[in-house]
Amino acid sequence: MADPTPNPVDKTKPAVDPQSDPESAAAAEPVVLSPATCKIIEDKCLRVLALPGNRIRGFRVDTLMGQDTAFYRLDNGQIYLTPKLVKSIEKYAPQNVGGTVSAVLHHEAFHSIATRFGFDGLSPSQMYLANHIEDVRINQAAVEFDPKLSFDYRDLMNVVTAQRKGMEGEPPLKTNQERICREVLDFFTKVNHISYSPKLRPKIEVMSVNKAYLQETRDVLKEALPHYNRFIQQRPDYFDHMNNDKRSDTAFRELQEIFKILDPYFDFQHEPNSMKEMEQAIKEQEEEDKKEKKQQGQGQPSKQGQPKDGQGQPKDQSKGGQ
């Protein structure tokens, strides 16, 4: 959990010199959300709590090392949303801020409904790939549940695309194996970006035979596709938890089959920088959680599960925050 004081400073880290490192200095600046935006987030949080079968135990708007992300944690049932992601939504989808925030929260809420497997034992790159694959199942379930969400998902994916335009380029490829890995990731990423589309399966078939890919890549995808399609078809059961768990187990078995196919080609020891940063952010978050549990055990009030405003302050529960 982030420090509850406004604009916290982590004294364990060296100060950033704004002259020698202006980009890092800008990233270190606290992101403050407007009261109007905080109200939008609060309203959307309350809406997703009404979804049948959800297992949400709280919401957090946390800085998380300046990460531009949102996620649901299986271990504590909380949805995390970073102010930096909200600012990106305001920048790249100003015409639909509320709807795009809603798409983010619905996505994470559907993780709470449908995702029953953790990523224990997977390498960081396997986790990265597994999350991409699971996201498609989640988004298909969400737009089937509420078709109107597809328009909000479209705006969300436009935000993601705009964010990535400014990222550093990938390192040059040295071997065919590296190219296969890159193309496999490219395929799953592109499917993810249209995962809100109806009749997705025919589109997946067409994308898997992209002529820009190596023939070896197309062969690998052809072998993996039946497992991928069966994975996506495991829709959540909103009213029968045992059946829901069974479907998630079936999906995970299909995921393991996909990994077996990719193993000979994919270097699962390679860690994208984004995964390294996320791992570090989650570790720091877990340390904060441990400190809070210790404080709670000593009789101090806990702020666990309270949504927070853009400055890290707990929201006033008397105003309907959840």
Side-chain angles (χ1 to χ4, degrees), residues 211-273:
K211 291 185 178 180
Y213 293 159
L214 292 173
Q215 182 60 49
E216 294 166 271
T217 304
R218 297 199 292 269
D219 291 342
V220 170
L221 292 175
K222 183 179 179 180
E223 188 179 356
L225 229 53
H227 299 287
Y228 188 39
N229 286 325
R230 285 196 290 271
F231 179 98
I232 295 170
Q233 288 166 6
Q234 298 304 313
R235 299 290 197 267
D237 187 324
Y238 304 100
F239 305 104
D240 186 333
H241 289 315
M242 290 185 67
N243 193 36
N244 199 19
D245 291 348
K246 182 179 178 181
R247 291 180 184 182
S248 188
D249 288 343
T250 301
F252 188 64
R253 285 196 295 273
E254 296 295 344
L255 180 65
Q256 289 174 316
E257 292 301 315
I258 293 172
F259 284 146
K260 286 179 185 176
I261 294 166
L262 299 182
D263 255 334
Y265 310 94
F266 215 93
D267 179 9
F268 283 130
Q269 299 307 309
H270 171 69
E271 295 188 26
N273 285 334

Side-chain angles (χ1 to χ4, degrees), residues 173-230:
L173 300 171
K174 298 178 181 178
T175 66
N176 265 14
Q177 181 176 338
E178 289 182 354
R179 181 171 172 183
I180 292 170
C181 295
R182 181 81 58 82
E183 289 176 347
V184 166
L185 277 175
D186 178 73
F187 166 76
F188 285 118
T189 300
K190 285 179 177 174
V191 174
N192 196 323
H193 280 202
I194 61 166
S195 56
Y196 57 87
S197 304
K199 299 180 181 179
L200 182 63
R201 185 168 180 172
K203 297 176 184 178
I204 292 175
E205 300 283 349
V206 171
M207 292 166 66
S208 69
V209 292
N210 186 341
K211 291 185 178 180
Y213 293 159
L214 292 173
Q215 182 60 49
E216 294 166 271
T217 304
R218 297 199 292 269
D219 291 342
V220 170
L221 292 175
K222 183 179 179 180
E223 188 179 356
L225 229 53
H227 299 287
Y228 188 39
N229 286 325
R230 285 196 290 271

